[in-house]
Amino acid sequence: MKLQRKNRLRALSLGAIAVSGALALTACGSDDTSGGSGGSGKETAANANIKCDDAKGQLAASGSSAQKNAIDAWRKVYSTACKDVQLNYNPTGSGAGITAFMQGQTAFAGSDSALKPEEIAASKKVCKNSQAIDLPMVGGPIAVGYNVPGVDNLVLDAETLAKIFDDKIKTWDDKAIQKLNPDAKLPGTKIQAFHRSDESGTTDNFTKYLKGAAPDAWSYEPGKSWEAKGGQSANGSSGVAGQVKQTVGAISYFELSYASDGINTVDLKTDAKEPVKATVDNASEAISEAKVVGKGNDLALELNYKPEAEGAYPITLVTYEVLCEKGNKPETLAATKSFLTYIASEDGQNVLKENDYAPIPAEIITKVRKTVAGLS
């Protein structure tokens, strides 16, 4: 089903906020009621709407580094309301997060890719008399960041990107890049392509885009693990973004929030008349064309990597919170439901707007809220 959210999503007004803080989402006597860096009256007001119920104790989660900045922003609000919860989120990457959840080490996992059928089947071992489900909670663009001094605007298409990341285009003055950027003064600097070293849903979505939009140039099957030859690797979104920032000639892929600290991003040439910038609004144009393909309360989405709409940015991802539909651990169930209820709420989704992420469209997030309320 198409998500008819384009008009409303166009209205999102985003301010890039560099979110900092510990990965441990602690709620132990925090005096910070600002709700985020610089302080936000809206986030403070949201505290009154958070229901802690009987939530208390330690709550462990791990996975997607893509949502790390969103989780950091959420915890600044949640921790002021629910002081008896100590929630620790470790951004180990989607693959590691799923593994930890399947081994019963965490209450939920963050993943930028929906569970595969075999993973759902395996989850029945950790979910008593039930199985794991995917709850979409965060949306946004995967930016392609680069470091080429003197080149502040750069246009690339799927085929050229595929060849760059497959080590077939080796310098920034290559004819293919020049053709797309006739007015740019491109240097002969060697291209330093960085990919994720860990299993990553961001890698999965990025390679799905390359395979879907440039199948003749990208011969590898999409997946969480990097399959192409050549290039260099770094751990996590922060790792590859850091390499781009410090390495002349570098290029990599990561969530837009990681590009807010002075990293230039590529404009993508699509079938639209004008190249498309990596913005949340433009990613929302593409996400609004997603379809629900999960069964029952599993809300896995199928994204469209070749959108036809003007201004639709095609490299997007949706981060899911993965947990048991039933059979969750009694000692963490109350805290899990409390935290997920907040982040799926209108107030929680509004926090995303301020941190370079896209809220989940209303038709889907309404179903997420209902599912969270029924967790047991």
Side-chain angles (χ1 to χ4, degrees):
M1 85 186 217
K2 270 190 178 178
L3 310 181
Q4 303 298 328
R5 298 285 297 143
K6 296 185 179 179
N7 292 334
R8 186 174 179 181
L9 287 170
R10 287 194 186 103
L12 299 180
S13 175
L14 304 171
I17 296 176
V19 180
S20 60
L23 293 182
L25 310 185
T26 58
C28 302
S30 172
D31 293 324
D32 181 5
T33 58
S34 65
S37 301
S40 168
K42 290 182 179 180
E43 292 183 7
T44 303
N47 294 351
N49 297 324
I50 297 176
K51 295 183 178 180
C52 303
D53 295 326
D54 297 324
K56 60 183 178 180
Q58 300 281 339
L59 182 62
S62 65
S64 165
S65 64
Q67 70 170 357
K68 183 261 182 185
N69 290 343
I71 294 252
D72 280 351
W74 278 326
R75 66 99 182 174
K76 286 181 177 290
V77 183
Y78 183 79
S79 63
T80 63
C82 302
K83 300 182 184 297
D84 293 331
V85 177
Q86 189 173 4
L87 194 158
N88 299 286
Y89 183 81
N90 191 359
T92 53
S94 297
I98 294 298
T99 298
F101 170 74
M102 294 293 189
Q103 294 175 348
Q105 299 173 9
T106 55
F108 65 91
S111 178
D112 306 322
S113 298
L115 293 170
K116 297 178 180 179
E118 58 268 28
E119 290 175 325
I120 292 178
S123 73
K124 295 179 180 180
K125 295 181 180 180
V126 71
C127 301
K128 296 180 180 179
N129 301 316
S130 184
Q131 64 182 41
I133 54 176
D134 302 283
L135 299 181
M137 206 70 77
V138 182
I142 300 173
V144 179
Y146 67 95
N147 182 346
V148 183
V151 181
D152 295 329
N153 296 290
L154 184 69
V155 176
L156 296 175
D157 58 15
E159 181 178 354
T160 306
L161 274 173
K163 291 180 179 179
I164 287 173
F165 281 92
D166 197 21
D167 202 30
K168 293 179 179 177
I169 292 179
K170 299 179 181 294
T171 61
W172 282 107
D173 60 353
D174 188 274
K175 291 181 179 179
I177 301 177
Q178 289 181 341
K179 185 177 180 180
L180 292 166
N181 300 273
D183 298 327
K185 295 182 179 179
L186 297 167
T189 306
K190 180 181 177 181
I191 294 175
Q192 307 277 358
F194 285 89
H195 57 266
R196 292 278 291 272
S197 59
D198 53 318
E199 286 197 352
S200 161
T202 311
T203 294
D204 189 22
N205 283 280
F206 181 64
T207 53
K208 282 179 179 176
Y209 161 73
L210 296 178
K211 186 67 172 180
D216 293 337
W218 191 257
S219 60
Y220 310 95
E221 287 302 313
K224 293 178 182 177
S225 298
W226 188 259
E227 298 294 336
K229 305 299 185 288
Q232 303 176 65
S233 64
N235 187 70
S237 295
S238 59
V240 290
Q243 289 296 331
V244 170
K245 189 171 184 180
Q246 69 185 24
T247 307
V248 173
I251 186 171
S252 191
Y253 55 93
F254 37 79
E255 297 68 43
L256 183 60
S257 62
Y258 288 90
S260 61
D261 193 17
I263 298 177
N264 289 324
T265 59
V266 169
D267 294 348
L268 290 178
K269 178 176 173 52
T270 66
D271 291 336
K273 294 180 180 179
E274 298 294 333
V276 185
K277 293 185 178 296
T279 69
V280 173
D281 284 347
N282 290 344
S284 294
E285 289 285 352
I287 293 174
S288 68
E289 297 184 13
K291 298 179 180 179
V292 177
V293 293
K295 297 179 180 179
N297 285 325
D298 184 271
L299 300 176
L301 302 177
E302 181 179 84
L303 300 174
N304 180 7
Y305 295 100
K306 296 185 69 176
E308 298 179 358
E310 291 292 323
Y313 184 81
I315 317 180
T316 61
L317 61 74
V318 170
T319 297
Y320 302 89
E321 311 309 336
V322 176
L323 73 165
C324 298
E325 181 177 6
K326 298 179 181 178
N328 291 283
K329 296 179 180 178
E331 61 269 26
T332 57
L333 178 59
T336 298
K337 292 182 68 172
S338 172
F339 182 68
L340 296 186
T341 296
Y342 161 61
I343 66 178
S345 70
E346 184 175 354
D347 290 327
Q349 289 290 295
N350 283 341
V351 170
L352 298 177
K353 302 176 185 178
E354 302 169 358
N355 293 279
D356 284 343
Y357 294 98
I360 300 300
E363 292 88 344
I364 298 303
I365 203 66
T366 299
K367 295 180 180 179
V368 171
R369 294 166 187 158
K370 182 179 179 180
T371 301
V372 170
L375 295 174
S376 63

